[in-house]
Amino acid sequence: MSVLRRLFSRRTLAYATGSTALATGGFYWYLNSGPAYPSSTKETRRPPPPWTPPSRAEMLAELRKSGEKPGAEFDLLIVGGGATGAGVAVDAASRGLKVALVERDDFAAGTSSKSTKLVHGGVRYLQKAVFELDYDQYKLVREALHERRIFLQTAPYLSNMLPIMLPVYKYWQVPYYLAGCKLYDVLAGKENMETSYVMSKGKALETFPMLKSDGLVGAVVYYDGQHNDSRMNIALIMSAVKHGAAVANYCEVTQLHKNDSGKLTGANVRDNLTGKVYPVHAKGIINATGPFTDTLLTLDNPSHQPIVQPSSGIHITLPNYYSPRKMGLLDPSTSDGRVIFFLPWQGNTIAGTTDSPARVSRSPSASEEDIRWVLDEVHSYLSPDIKVRRGDVLSAWSGLRPLVRNPGASSTEGLVRNHMIHVSESGLLTIAGGKWTTYRAMAEETVDEAVKVFGLGDKVKSGCVTERLRLVGSDGWSRNMFIGLTQTYGLDTDVAKHLSENYGDRAWTVCGLAEPTGESWPLHGKRLVPQYPFIEAEVHYAIKHEYALSAIDVLARRTRLSFLNARAALDALPRVIDIMSAELNWSRSERNKQIRDTVEFLVGSMGLDEGYVSGDVVRRVKERLQPRGWIECAERSLWNVCGFVGQSLGHVAHVGDGWRSVSASASAAGERVRVLGRARFEVGEVGLLKSVFDKHATTVPTPSASGQSEEKNKVQTANILDFVKEVSGYEGISRRELEYVLEEAGFSTHETLDWDEFLEVCGGLREVSVSPAEVNGAGALLGRERRVIPVEKSGGGV
C-alpha cells in the first residue's frame, strides 16, 4: 500500500509530467530544427560583386601549358564533368590543389541532367534496410539524409523542400506508412526538414484533387528535397572555376600516359570541336565518368572486367494541370513493383521511375513502351474524369544510373547506390556509383584518397570545406530577391522568379544582358517562347559565363526548355541559333549543323514526335533565322517573293480541294457529324473512317425511340482493333488503349457500335495516342508518317 501511495504521490506525478513535457518538447525541437531558408537582408536587394570567368580558350591554354612547360603539371586531372566530377573538382580546388577537369561532351550531358530531380535519403532504401536487415542500405539512407541538409544550404536557390504524398487505399497501410515516414524523420534527426503527418481523405482530395477518390482512405505526407539538376551541375563547375580549376567541355581523353614503372603521368586530350590533341600532365588522374567508368578503365587496362551495371530511369513531362504546384506523389505499388514519382517541377509535372536494366549508351532514349507504361500507371491513381493522353506528353527522356555491379543480384532493383573508390595498378583512381544527393560526400572521400595515393599532402592548404562552402550564386540570394529584380529591370514576375531560382545572385548579371522589349510592360526580358519564362539574355549569359557551345547546351542544360517541352524547344531554336551565331561567329554550314543536331537530339533523346518534324524541318527552321550577310539577305528576299506567289496560287486550289474533300466526306458519311467529333480529325479523315466502318458493318435490328425496331449498320466492338488499323496512323493502337477509350466513353459493355459511337471511339483514340497521317483533298493519304495532336487540342502535348 505504501508503495502505491509513493508511486502516485504528487512529487512522482510532478516528476513524470515534467519529464514527459521536456521529452516531448526536446523531441519536437529535434525533428524540426532542420535547414531553414536564408534570411532576406538589404544586401540581397543589390547586385553582388561582378565576376567574369576565364574563357574556354584560356582554359585550353592552361591545359596545353601543363604538357609543354616543366613544372606546370596539374595535381589532379579529373575526367568527367557530371555531378561526381564537378563535385570532386570543387572539393579539390577549395583545398588549394591545382585541378584540371575535362568532359567529352557538355557538362551534365549525361545522367546528371536526367535525374528524378529529388534530393532525398531514399524511403524505399529505408524499407529494404528494415525488412531485409541490410546495414548497407541503412548507412546509405543516413548518409543521404545528412547530405540532403548540406545540399539545401550550399545551393539554396537551386533546391527546396517538397512535401510528397503517399495515397493510402487500405486502412492497415496508414500506420505502416506513417511508421516508415516517422522512422525516416528520426534518422534525419535535427537535420529533418518537416515532420511527416497523416491526411484525411477529404484533406488529401482538397490538396490533390486529381487523385482517384474511389477506395481512398487518406494519405501520409513526408518531406524531401528537389533541385534543378543540370543547373546545380553548372553551379558546381563555376564554383570550381572560381577556386582556380581549369575546366573544358567537349574535350575527350584519348590516351593515357605512363612512365617506365607503369604509373600514370597524364593523358592526351582531344578538343572535339577542333580535333586538336594536347598532352596534359598531372600527378594523379581521377575517373569520374559515371556510366562510362568502364570505358576509361579499359583504356587503362584492356583486360579490365566491368564494375558498373547501368540502370535506366524513365521520365516524362506532363502539363501542370496533372498535379498541384506544391505537392508531389509517390506510388510505391506499381504493376511491376517499381516505384513511380509524380512531381511538380519548373511549372510542369514530371512522372517517372528508376531501376530498369539498361545498356550503356551515349544517347539513351525513352521507348514508346516505357512511355505507355508510365501513362498507364499515372492513369491508375488519377481521377477517372481525367483523360491521360499520349498527346499530353511534352517530353520524355531516359538517364543511366551508374550502379555498382553486384554479381549476385538478379536485377538492378536489388543494387544499392553506394559508391565505390578503386585505385588500379597504374594509379588510376575511380569513383563509381552513388547518386546526386551524395555527390559531396563522394567527392570528399575521393579527394581524401587522392591526397594519400598521389602524395599531395604538402599541396593542400586545408581539409575538406565543402560542408560550408556555398556555391556560386548563393551568397547574395534570398527568396525575396526576385522582387528587387522586378523593380529594377521591369521584368514579368514569373521571369524574375525563374531567374532568381535558377541563377541565384547571378541573376543580376543575366538581367544586365537583357535588352529592352520596347513595350510598356515588361520593360526587359524578351522571351524565347511565350509560354515559358526563359529569356534571350539567358542565351547570352550561357555563352559568356557558362561555356555553352551549342544550341543543345542552351536548350537542354543551361535552360531546361527541352526537358519541359520539346516542341517549345524546337520553336525557340531559330532565335537561340541567331543569338549564338552572333556571339560565336558561326558560319552558315555551322548553323545548319546546329539545326540538324538539335532536331536529332529532340527526337532521339527528348521524345519529340517524329510526325511533328516530318518534312524539311531544317528548311523551316532556317526560314526563321535572321539572314547574315548580303548573300543571305538576297536569297531570303528572293524566296519570300517566290513563296508569296506560290502560296497565293496554292491557297486558292487548297481551299477548293479542301471544300470538295469535306463535302465529299460528309456526303460519303451520309450523316451529320457533330462539331465536337469533327474537331478531332484531319480534313478528309472522317471519310476514310466511314469507308472502313461500312466495309465491316453489318445490319443489326435496333429499338427506336417510338418502340419499333429499325435496321442500323453497326460494327462488333470486339473487332474494332483489327480493322481500325487499316487507316494509316492507327497501326500502333494497343488493346489496352482501346479498352481505356471504351471505358471513358461508356461503351465498354456494348457488343456493337453504330457510326456515331464508332467515330467517338476513334476520336478518343486520337487523344490518347498519336494522331493519324494527313490526307489530301481527294481523301488519299499523303504519307505514312504520324502527326501530332495540335497544341490547342492536347494541352500543348507533342
Side-chain angles (χ1 to χ4, degrees):
M1 193 68 179
S2 61
V3 175
L4 292 176
R5 188 179 298 114
R6 187 177 302 171
L7 186 63
F8 291 101
S9 65
R10 293 181 179 179
R11 177 177 296 181
T12 304
L13 291 175
Y15 283 149
T17 303
S19 300
T20 302
L22 184 63
T24 302
F27 188 65
Y28 182 81
W29 173 85
Y30 183 69
L31 291 181
N32 292 278
S33 59
Y37 290 104
S39 301
S40 298
T41 63
K42 290 183 179 179
E43 285 71 23
T44 61
R45 298 292 299 275
R46 293 193 294 269
W51 174 65
T52 301
S55 67
R56 183 174 183 270
E58 293 174 292
M59 295 294 189
L60 292 176
E62 283 291 315
L63 294 177
R64 287 197 303 270
K65 189 188 299 183
S66 72
E68 298 171 354
K69 186 177 179 181
E73 67 178 348
F74 290 99
D75 294 324
L76 293 176
L77 171 61
I78 302 166
V79 185
T84 305
V88 172
V90 172
D91 192 304
S94 63
R95 298 193 198 193
L97 296 176
K98 187 178 181 182
V99 177
L101 180 147
V102 294
E103 163 60 43
R104 177 180 61 182
D105 298 307
D106 184 33
F107 305 122
T111 303
S112 298
S113 63
K114 300 173 181 177
S115 71
T116 311
K117 326 301 182 191
L118 284 178
V119 185
H120 63 134
V123 173
R124 65 192 179 109
Y125 297 142
L126 178 60
Q127 182 187 30
K128 288 178 178 292
V130 173
F131 285 99
E132 299 176 11
L133 299 178
D134 191 330
Y135 185 64
D136 288 334
Q137 300 271 10
Y138 169 79
K139 288 194 302 181
L140 177 64
V141 176
R142 284 282 295 173
E143 179 187 48
L145 288 172
H146 173 68
E147 292 301 318
R148 184 184 67 177
R149 176 188 64 84
I150 299 173
F151 204 113
L152 269 65
Q153 289 182 340
T154 56
Y157 66 96
L158 285 169
S159 52
N160 58 276
M161 294 186 295
L162 178 70
I164 300 178
M165 176 187 295
L166 293 166
V168 180
Y169 289 90
K170 296 178 181 178
Y171 282 100
W172 66 265
Q173 291 179 333
V174 175
Y176 172 72
Y177 286 157
L178 183 61
C181 291
K182 286 299 180 184
L183 180 58
Y184 196 61
D185 295 343
V186 170
L187 286 178
K190 65 179 181 179
E191 297 168 345
N192 191 39
M193 295 177 170
E194 294 286 347
T195 184
S196 53
Y197 59 93
V198 176
M199 270 187 176
S200 65
K201 175 180 178 180
K203 189 65 177 177
L205 292 176
E206 178 185 348
T207 305
F208 209 124
M210 310 84 175
L211 203 59
K212 181 175 66 177
S213 61
D214 186 24
L216 184 70
V217 299
V220 175
V221 177
Y222 74 97
Y223 283 79
D224 253 327
Q226 189 179 48
H227 75 135
N228 188 339
D229 49 9
S230 74
R231 291 296 317 164
M232 180 70 180
N233 204 131
I234 294 298
L236 287 169
I237 289 291
M238 302 316 299
S239 298
V241 170
K242 200 166 187 178
H243 283 84
V247 305
N249 50 352
Y250 295 100
C251 286
E252 181 176 1
V253 171
T254 58
Q255 183 181 0
L256 295 174
H257 300 163
K258 298 181 181 179
N259 58 22
D260 295 338
S261 59
K263 297 297 182 181
L264 293 174
T265 60
N268 279 353
V269 175
R270 181 180 64 213
D271 182 351
N272 285 334
L273 299 184
T274 63
K276 295 181 179 179
V277 178
Y278 313 113
V280 178
H281 290 174
K283 295 183 176 68
I285 300 179
I286 296 178
N287 177 11
T289 52
F292 304 96
T293 294
D294 291 316
T295 302
L296 193 60
L297 285 170
T298 303
L299 186 65
D300 174 51
N301 178 15
S303 61
H304 161 74
Q305 295 297 317
I307 64 173
V308 172
Q309 180 172 332
S311 169
S312 175
I314 308 299
H315 299 86
I316 63 174
T317 307
L318 298 167
N320 58 13
Y321 51 73
Y322 271 88
S323 72
R325 294 299 82 217
K326 297 294 183 180
M327 178 71 74
L329 186 143
L330 185 151
D331 181 9
S333 54
T334 61
S335 59
D336 64 358
R338 287 182 288 175
V339 172
I340 189 170
F341 291 95
F342 196 65
L343 309 168
W345 184 71
Q346 297 282 306
N348 281 350
T349 300
I350 59 173
T353 186
T354 57
D355 293 321
S356 300
R359 60 182 181 84
V360 175
S361 171
R362 290 185 66 172
S363 301
S365 60
S367 67
E368 187 64 25
E369 180 182 358
D370 292 327
I371 295 173
R372 302 282 177 167
W373 181 86
V374 174
L375 289 175
D376 287 341
E377 296 299 328
V378 169
H379 174 252
S380 68
Y381 60 76
L382 289 187
S383 175
D385 64 340
I386 298 177
K387 288 186 177 182
V388 181
R389 308 177 297 182
R390 176 61 178 85
D392 281 343
V393 177
L394 306 177
S395 65
W397 72 91
S398 173
L400 298 178
R401 274 64 175 167
L403 305 183
V404 179
R405 177 181 288 275
N406 178 0
S410 59
S411 69
T412 60
E413 186 182 356
L415 297 179
V416 182
R417 289 194 181 182
N418 287 342
H419 56 274
M420 181 198 69
I421 296 176
H422 170 72
V423 181
S424 65
E425 294 182 0
S426 66
L428 178 63
L429 194 157
T430 297
I431 170 67
K435 60 178 182 177
W436 241 121
T437 307
T438 59
Y439 85 90
R440 192 210 63 83
M442 295 164 56
E444 180 180 354
E445 292 182 32
T446 302
V447 177
D448 286 343
E449 185 70 13
V451 170
K452 181 174 64 176
V453 172
F454 303 130
L456 302 174
D458 59 336
K459 294 294 188 75
V460 296
K461 298 178 181 178
S462 66
C464 179
V465 297
T466 52
E467 280 204 26
R468 304 177 302 278
L469 181 67
R470 290 162 68 83
L471 301 183
V472 165
S474 300
D475 289 336
W477 178 84
S478 76
R479 286 187 294 169
N480 294 328
M481 196 191 80
F482 76 94
I483 299 175
L485 294 173
T486 302
Q487 293 174 338
T488 304
Y489 290 97
L491 302 173
D492 281 331
T493 303
D494 61 332
V495 171
K497 283 187 174 182
H498 156 72
L499 295 177
S500 172
E501 294 169 359
N502 287 278
Y503 296 89
D505 63 25
R506 301 293 292 167
W508 294 98
T509 305
V510 178
C511 292
L513 298 172
E515 297 180 356
T517 62
E519 302 175 2
S520 58
W521 191 267
L523 302 180
H524 292 83
K526 294 181 180 178
R527 301 192 185 219
L528 290 173
V529 286
Q531 64 268 44
Y532 290 95
F534 304 105
I535 61 175
E536 294 181 2
E538 294 179 71
V539 184
H540 294 281
Y541 181 84
I543 299 167
K544 296 178 179 179
H545 296 267
E546 294 181 341
Y547 306 113
L549 296 171
S550 71
I552 298 174
D553 296 347
V554 172
L555 292 171
R557 293 175 285 272
R558 304 311 186 274
T559 70
R560 308 311 308 275
L561 188 53
S562 70
F563 282 82
L564 292 171
N565 191 324
R567 276 186 70 176
L570 185 61
D571 292 340
L573 178 59
R575 186 57 189 147
V576 169
I577 290 181
D578 278 338
I579 296 172
M580 299 191 77
S581 296
E583 291 280 1
L584 300 175
N585 196 29
W586 281 346
S587 64
R588 185 174 184 176
S589 61
E590 178 61 25
R591 282 185 290 164
N592 293 340
K593 178 180 181 298
Q594 289 289 328
I595 295 172
R596 291 191 298 270
D597 290 349
T598 305
V599 171
E600 181 181 348
F601 169 78
L602 293 175
V603 173
S605 298
M606 289 289 106
L608 180 63
D609 194 285
E610 294 186 25
Y612 186 68
V613 297
S614 60
D616 192 0
V617 67
V618 175
R619 178 184 58 80
R620 283 186 277 132
V621 173
K622 287 171 61 178
E623 288 175 352
R624 294 176 56 197
L625 294 176
Q626 293 293 329
R628 302 185 68 204
W630 67 270
I631 296 179
E632 289 189 15
C633 290
E635 287 180 350
R636 180 64 56 83
S637 300
L638 180 61
W639 277 111
N640 287 342
V641 171
C642 296
F644 176 77
V645 174
Q647 187 178 13
S648 300
L649 295 174
H651 178 68
V652 175
H654 174 74
V655 169
D657 290 344
W659 175 254
R660 286 192 296 271
S661 172
V662 172
S663 300
S665 300
S667 175
E671 299 182 36
R672 179 175 176 272
V673 180
R674 293 172 294 177
V675 175
L676 177 62
R678 174 63 60 82
R680 301 176 181 180
F681 302 101
E682 301 290 345
V683 174
E685 188 178 339
V686 175
L688 293 175
L689 292 171
K690 178 61 177 175
S691 64
V692 172
F693 176 86
D694 290 340
K695 178 180 177 182
H696 296 275
T698 57
T699 303
V700 178
T702 306
S704 64
S706 61
Q708 298 179 351
S709 179
E710 62 180 8
E711 301 292 324
K712 202 167 187 180
N713 288 339
K714 293 188 176 185
V715 293
Q716 295 293 320
T717 306
N719 300 333
I720 288 179
L721 191 63
D722 298 327
F723 63 78
V724 76
K725 293 183 177 182
E726 296 177 13
V727 179
S728 178
Y730 289 83
E731 305 95 327
I733 299 298
S734 68
R735 172 65 61 181
R736 192 165 185 173
E737 288 170 339
L738 177 61
E739 291 173 353
Y740 169 57
V741 170
L742 291 172
E743 182 69 28
E744 289 288 327
F747 300 149
S748 58
T749 59
H750 290 202
E751 294 183 359
T752 58
L753 298 178
D754 61 21
W755 162 241
D756 281 334
E757 293 168 340
F758 172 75
L759 190 64
E760 184 174 349
V761 169
C762 292
L765 293 174
R766 285 287 303 267
E767 288 188 333
V768 300
S769 184
V770 284
S771 55
E774 190 178 5
V775 293
N776 64 14
L781 296 175
L782 289 177
R784 304 295 291 185
E785 63 264 305
R786 297 181 173 211
R787 297 190 57 196
V788 299
I789 300 173
V791 174
E792 64 273 11
K793 300 179 187 177
S794 71
V798 295

